[in-house]
Amino acid sequence: VVNRIAAGEVIQRPSSAVKELVENSIDAGASTVSVTVKDGGLKLIQVSDDGHGIRCEDLPILCERHTTSKLSAYEDLQTIKSMGFRGEALASMTYVGHVTVTTITEGQLHGYRVSYRDGVMENDPKPCAAVKGTQVMVSLQLCIVFALLDMYCDFYKKKNLNMQVENLFYNMVARRKTLQNSNDDYPKIVDFISRFAVHHINVNFSCRKHGANRADVHSGSTSSRLDAIRNVYGASVVRDLMEIQVSDENAVDEIFKMDGFISNANYVAKKTTMILFINDRLVDCTSLKRATEFVYSAILPQASKPFIYMSINLPPEHVDVNIHPTKKEVSLLNQERIIEKIKDAIEEKLMNCNNTRIFQTQALNSSALTQANTRKDKGTEVSTPTGEKSQKIPVSQMVRTDPRDPSGRLHTYWQGQTSNLEKKSGLVAVRNIVRSRRNPKDAGDLSSRHELVTEIDYNLHPGLFDIVKNCTYVGVADEVFALIQHNTLLYLVNVVNVSKELMYQQALCRFGNFNAIQLSEPAPLLELLTMALKDDESMSDVNEKEKLEIAEVNTEILKENAEMINEYFSIHIDQGGNLTRLPVVLDQYTPDMDRLPEFMLTLGNDIAWDVEKECFRTAAAAIGNFYALHPPILPNPSGKGIRLYKKNKDSMESAGQADNDLTSTDEDDIDQELLAEAEAAWAQREWTIQHVLFPSMRLFLKPPKSMATDGTFVQIASLDKLYKIFERC
């Protein structure tokens, strides 16, 4: 019973069995591996290679558990380089099927055939004819092959072998019923063989259905990885690939190398193809796959997926191979760091190489256009170049690619004679006026301003850009962070940081073309600067007289540069030194005027007035900091914060008593006016975050690369993984 249970864990599906068999063939030093499959591997799997066989004297113990293991001490597992190491596969096969082995070693005139059941020989080895190499045959169920090959190639590695397994799962009715659909596993088998053929370029691989004349996979030995990919996946894939290499040899705690090929922006596929080998072991890595898809999501169209081949080499002691029953996953030392370096390398490669895009075009068919204009039915049948007809597409869902085709124009659906508007001569003038308002020329002629805008585009993080464009606002988490959802991932977003960056970028984009906020009363600069200096903790050691002198100097500086900052940033200061107008950086948003003194002090003290580019940069940064959604100056009254609004401050000296007051607060002991002001300020901030900030972020924000590492965006949960956790609970 124990052995049959273990066999069910090791042998899961026909495709996993083929994977193990081929890996063991490679371990045995085979230069040719052929796979033949019948009914998706449920009735027959035959794996032949020219690797090593088994000596006749070793046959009696061949199918005992762990006989074929290559380990003599547990420490050997830390430096293992072969694919198999447990020695359980062949033994497991004998407990759920009938195994027959035919083998011949070098120098012998004939081979031997022997059958096994439940781990022991059923009869003595019989002499028979045999050919050089190993052949594993599995009848009725593919998975038998896996155990057979595990035995022959991992442990013995002698000469030639032929194995046959019949009636797999004959004593496991439930398992046999789950594998009734014979067409499910054959595409997976072809996929496995294709991946091996790409990586092991010095081995000839073939895979075909039983009785077929043509192999679905046929690759010859080659010295070029690109040739191997071309043989397996076709020339169209190779055309859009580019080589990539990553190394970390100087690190103290890890050494790794990665080389491979990745697709560029012209590659189009509906499914991600990721071929990953770690220390020559074919494995899956969900984290690495998601990271690469994350980078490509900002490059490729929404329905397109990349092609990726990677070979990662690490010291054996940095790889834990004993974490999965079928060995399809491994655990890496410092895995997150390795994935991050690979992701950055892919992103840099795509940024530098994808300067051009190729689009397929089709010549205009004038006769088809005529028919389209006269067609009266609701739908149309689209014909392919081969003459085959595709499904009908409603006209309302078609994309107009020819300007002469009226289908798709907005005025087609208008009622009345509105099309006559195009004939009015005044319409051209109106359009020109609108365009001039949208694209003012007088603000964008300064090269330094153009350089700053270009820097924003250059520092754009494609992954964060996709998150910002397609996120869903969830709610406010605390005073600083808000929750958003992108696909199935939840993120914490630092509202202060993203709003500051958004305002900075908008200040440069609206440069010289701001609308204005008119102050109800002019604000004297000297008073604003004096207030800011009093509140500045770094100026606590400066006496009042010196603070006044600093305020006067900054006032003169702002008055001297008033014309420039009014022209470019719409900050108006009159001749008397009074602030009268502020710019509208974001529509429907007014900054917190409590921070106005600090803003004016920053303008007077931190702007590099003598260098044009730095002047614009620092001024835009000061505007961004002022207009950012900082928490209100009044503390948040929710939760424990309500105790800060008690009139009797002496009762709050004891922390324990403060906690008790939270549940028994007397309304008469609270400053209701101040509390109402605080609640209104925090409620207004939350409304602004949801209805102003995040909609504007989706439209305008180009998040820089620094936001991916400075804690501005933090992934906190994956909803699909949470669902699995709750499902288990």
Side-chain angles (χ1 to χ4, degrees):
V1 173
V2 170
N3 288 323
R4 287 172 62 182
I5 292 174
E9 184 180 32
V10 174
I11 307 164
Q12 296 179 354
R13 298 190 62 87
S15 56
S16 61
V18 172
K19 174 179 178 290
E20 296 290 345
L21 287 168
V22 174
E23 285 181 343
N24 290 324
S25 295
I26 295 171
D27 271 350
S31 60
T32 300
V33 178
S34 300
V35 179
T36 303
V37 178
K38 184 176 182 180
D39 287 350
L42 296 179
K43 290 187 177 180
L44 172 68
I45 291 181
Q46 179 177 301
V47 177
S48 303
D49 63 44
D50 57 355
H52 306 304
I54 302 172
R55 296 177 300 179
C56 180
E57 53 268 30
D58 291 329
L59 291 176
I61 63 170
L62 176 62
C63 292
E64 294 182 4
R65 291 193 68 190
H66 310 303
T67 294
T68 58
S69 174
K70 277 72 63 183
L71 304 179
S72 58
Y74 182 78
E75 289 72 19
D76 295 341
L77 188 62
Q78 299 178 0
T79 57
I80 194 169
K81 295 183 179 180
S82 60
M83 301 298 104
F85 51 85
R86 299 188 184 115
E88 294 180 331
L90 184 59
S92 298
M93 287 293 137
T94 65
Y95 284 98
V96 295
H98 304 144
V99 178
T100 301
V101 176
T102 303
T103 182
I104 184 173
T105 56
E106 186 177 2
Q108 290 184 335
L109 298 178
H110 59 81
Y112 293 90
R113 179 181 291 119
V114 62
S115 298
Y116 296 86
R117 181 178 293 187
D118 295 335
V120 297
M121 289 194 307
E122 292 186 306
N123 49 54
D124 294 333
K126 298 178 181 180
C128 67
V131 296
K132 183 181 184 300
T134 299
Q135 186 180 78
V136 180
M137 185 175 292
V138 182
S139 296
L140 297 183
Q141 299 292 344
L142 157 75
C143 299
I144 284 268
V145 182
F146 151 48
L148 301 177
L149 192 52
D150 190 15
M151 169 277 301
Y152 101 77
C153 59
D154 280 340
F155 174 68
Y156 294 99
K157 290 189 178 180
K158 296 303 179 185
K159 299 303 171 191
N160 313 311
L161 182 64
N162 179 303
M163 295 187 181
Q164 179 175 327
V165 182
E166 298 177 325
N167 300 325
L168 188 63
F169 301 133
Y170 72 97
N171 53 0
M172 300 175 67
V173 179
R175 178 64 63 88
R176 294 189 67 172
K177 289 183 177 180
T178 61
L179 299 172
Q180 288 302 311
N181 191 346
S182 60
N183 296 322
D184 285 348
D185 264 46
Y186 184 69
K188 297 180 181 179
I189 295 171
V190 172
D191 182 58
F192 277 129
I193 301 301
S194 301
R195 293 166 185 258
F196 281 114
V198 169
H199 183 72
H200 297 281
I201 59 177
N202 58 341
V203 180
N204 299 320
F205 289 91
S206 68
C207 179
R208 72 181 69 209
K209 289 184 178 180
H210 184 264
N213 295 326
R214 182 177 179 274
D216 293 290
V217 178
H218 182 74
S219 68
S221 178
T222 177
S223 59
S224 171
R225 187 85 61 194
L226 283 178
D227 288 341
I229 298 176
R230 184 181 293 106
N231 292 337
V232 177
Y233 292 97
S236 60
V237 175
V238 175
R239 183 174 58 246
D240 296 325
L241 295 183
M242 50 188 178
E243 189 174 6
I244 184 171
Q245 293 181 343
V246 183
S247 62
D248 192 19
E249 298 183 355
N250 296 325
V252 177
D253 54 345
E254 67 170 303
I255 300 175
F256 87 93
K257 292 182 179 179
M258 186 277 283
D259 61 86
F261 291 89
I262 61 174
S263 58
N264 57 27
N266 295 319
Y267 179 78
V268 177
K270 295 182 179 180
K271 183 180 180 181
T272 299
T273 301
M274 184 167 185
I275 306 172
L276 175 62
F277 282 82
I278 298 180
N279 287 0
D280 295 325
R281 184 184 300 273
L282 178 62
V283 296
D284 296 331
C285 183
T286 304
S287 300
L288 180 57
K289 184 177 180 181
R290 289 179 177 175
T292 53
E293 287 181 334
F294 186 79
V295 175
Y296 273 97
S297 62
I299 304 289
L300 298 178
Q302 186 173 5
S304 298
K305 301 297 181 182
F307 180 97
I308 300 167
Y309 162 77
M310 291 184 188
S311 177
I312 300 176
N313 290 307
L314 289 159
E317 59 271 18
H318 290 181
V319 184
D320 186 357
V321 298
N322 190 28
I323 66 170
H324 195 276
T326 62
K327 297 171 286 189
K328 74 173 184 179
E329 296 179 2
V330 295
S331 178
L332 306 180
L333 184 66
N334 297 323
Q335 178 171 305
E336 293 183 358
R337 177 178 174 183
I338 294 174
I339 292 176
E340 187 65 26
K341 288 186 70 68
I342 293 175
K343 187 188 73 170
D344 292 342
I346 293 175
E347 185 176 1
E348 182 180 359
K349 189 76 173 179
L350 292 173
M351 293 282 288
N352 295 334
C353 296
N354 287 327
N355 295 324
T356 60
R357 298 290 296 273
I358 299 174
F359 299 92
Q360 300 296 329
T361 60
Q362 183 176 357
L364 179 64
N365 190 334
S366 58
S367 61
L369 178 59
T370 304
Q371 294 176 4
N373 292 337
T374 58
R375 188 174 289 124
K376 298 180 180 180
D377 54 351
K378 295 183 179 179
T380 180
E381 291 184 351
V382 182
S383 297
T384 63
T386 60
E388 298 177 356
K389 292 184 178 180
S390 62
Q391 61 181 359
K392 290 186 177 182
I393 303 176
V395 175
S396 59
Q397 296 181 10
M398 294 179 65
V399 178
R400 182 171 61 90
T401 57
D402 178 24
R404 292 175 292 174
D405 184 3
S407 174
R409 291 182 183 173
L410 186 59
H411 71 261
T412 304
Y413 305 97
W414 290 350
Q415 300 295 328
Q417 302 296 325
T418 55
S419 59
N420 293 331
L421 289 174
E422 296 186 0
K423 300 180 181 180
K424 294 183 179 180
S425 59
L427 184 59
V428 176
V430 173
R431 285 176 175 171
N432 291 335
I433 294 174
V434 173
R435 290 193 183 113
S436 66
R437 290 176 180 174
R438 291 179 178 176
N439 304 292
K441 296 182 179 180
D442 56 342
D445 294 337
L446 296 175
S447 59
S448 55
R449 179 256 182 186
H450 280 297
E451 292 175 4
L452 293 174
V453 175
T454 303
E455 288 180 5
I456 294 175
D457 295 331
Y458 179 77
N459 292 324
L460 173 68
H461 191 289
L464 293 181
F465 184 71
D466 178 63
I467 292 176
V468 169
K469 287 292 183 183
N470 302 291
C471 70
T472 301
Y473 177 78
V474 178
V476 174
D478 57 17
E479 286 82 356
V480 176
F481 288 94
L483 273 173
I484 63 171
Q485 178 181 341
H486 179 258
N487 293 333
T488 59
L489 301 178
L490 279 177
Y491 293 88
L492 276 177
V493 180
N494 190 311
V495 173
V496 178
N497 288 355
V498 295
S499 60
K500 187 182 300 184
E501 180 66 25
L502 174 64
M503 302 303 178
Y504 168 77
Q505 295 180 9
Q506 283 296 100
L508 292 176
C509 291
R510 299 193 177 194
F511 186 86
N513 295 279
F514 291 94
N515 292 328
I517 300 174
Q518 185 72 37
L519 301 184
S520 57
E521 295 182 3
L525 288 180
L526 186 60
E527 294 184 12
L528 292 174
L529 294 169
T530 303
M531 292 171 58
L533 292 171
K534 289 181 180 180
D535 295 336
D536 191 350
E537 295 181 357
S538 62
M539 303 290 293
S540 58
D541 297 334
V542 181
N543 58 46
E544 297 299 326
K545 182 178 179 181
E546 292 177 345
K547 290 181 180 180
L548 181 60
E549 293 177 354
I550 294 174
E552 292 174 348
V553 170
N554 285 329
T555 301
E556 293 301 321
I557 292 175
L558 291 175
K559 289 170 64 177
E560 291 175 1
N561 297 277
E563 183 178 355
M564 186 268 290
I565 60 177
N566 180 44
E567 180 181 358
Y568 294 148
F569 298 106
S570 192
I571 301 174
H572 183 260
I573 299 174
D574 60 21
Q575 295 180 353
N578 299 313
L579 178 67
T580 61
R581 286 199 304 266
L582 290 172
V584 176
V585 177
L586 208 61
D587 295 336
Q588 300 180 350
Y589 174 68
T590 302
D592 185 359
M593 291 300 174
D594 289 337
R595 300 183 181 274
L596 182 59
E598 178 185 353
F599 172 55
M600 300 312 298
L601 179 61
T602 303
L603 285 181
N605 200 40
D606 297 342
I607 306 301
W609 302 103
D610 298 332
V611 183
E612 183 179 88
K613 182 177 178 180
E614 286 304 310
C615 175
F616 295 159
R617 184 200 304 274
T618 51
I623 292 174
N625 185 62
F626 172 46
Y627 281 74
L629 271 77
H630 296 278
I633 294 179
L634 291 174
N636 192 343
S638 62
K640 295 181 180 180
I642 194 172
R643 65 189 180 189
L644 301 174
Y645 295 90
K646 293 177 67 68
K647 295 179 181 179
N648 186 7
K649 302 297 182 182
D650 296 336
S651 63
M652 304 306 295
E653 294 178 357
S654 173
Q657 183 178 354
D659 293 337
N660 294 333
D661 289 344
L662 290 176
T663 57
S664 59
T665 303
D666 188 357
E667 293 185 359
D668 295 337
D669 196 28
I670 293 178
D671 190 335
Q672 295 294 338
E673 183 178 352
L674 189 61
L675 178 63
E677 183 180 350
E679 290 177 342
W682 283 92
Q684 177 63 33
R685 181 175 185 266
E686 183 173 353
W687 185 93
T688 303
I689 291 173
Q690 178 178 357
H691 298 285
V692 178
L693 176 62
F694 276 93
S696 300
M697 282 173 50
R698 297 187 190 100
L699 292 174
F700 307 120
L701 180 62
K702 298 178 179 179
K705 297 177 182 178
S706 59
M707 284 189 173
T709 56
D710 63 1
T712 301
F713 289 83
V714 180
Q715 179 184 331
I716 60 172
S718 175
L719 298 184
D720 52 352
K721 293 183 179 179
L722 285 177
Y723 176 80
K724 293 178 181 179
I725 294 173
F726 295 144
E727 188 179 47
R728 289 197 299 268
C729 296

